[in-house]
């Protein structure tokens, strides 16, 4: 469960970066790449959150994402 929550947070980082890139890019190919990355990362987050909901587990944890010492 911790893995799915941590990876959801991890995948949220490129979502934020993709939005910034999409808004700032002038090149249509770069905008398309940013959009593709944004949509694929959001789909993966939805999948992991779906697992957590199916398992009856909370979407968030009390600890900060990736606070588990095994991630270091």
């Amino acid at each position: 469960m911790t893995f799915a929550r941590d990876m959801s947070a991890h995948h949220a980082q490129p979502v934020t970066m993709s939005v910034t890139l999409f808004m700032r890019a002038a090149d249509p190919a770069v905008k398309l790449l940013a959009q593709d990355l944004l949509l694929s990362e959001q789909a993966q987050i939805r999948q992991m959150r779906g697992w957590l909901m199916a398992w009856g587990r909370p979407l968030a944890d009390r600890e900060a994402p990736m606070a588990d010492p095994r991630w270091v």
Side-chain angles (χ1 to χ4, degrees):
M1 277 42 92
T2 300
F3 177 79
R5 282 191 293 268
D6 286 351
M7 291 309 292
S8 292
H10 172 73
H11 284 256
Q13 294 167 338
V15 167
T16 302
M17 292 186 296
S18 296
V19 169
T20 301
L21 180 59
F22 184 83
M23 299 301 288
R24 293 182 182 178
D27 186 331
V30 174
K31 287 181 98 62
L32 183 61
L33 176 63
Q35 182 180 18
D36 183 51
L37 181 60
L38 171 68
L39 295 174
S40 63
E41 294 293 327
Q42 286 176 328
Q44 291 175 28
I45 291 169
R46 282 192 303 276
Q47 178 67 55
M48 289 179 276
R49 288 184 176 176
W51 294 337
L52 290 167
M53 286 189 285
W55 298 330
R57 306 302 296 179
L59 297 179
D61 202 351
R62 292 181 194 179
E63 295 183 18
M66 296 194 232
D68 189 318
R70 293 174 290 182
W71 288 108
V72 182

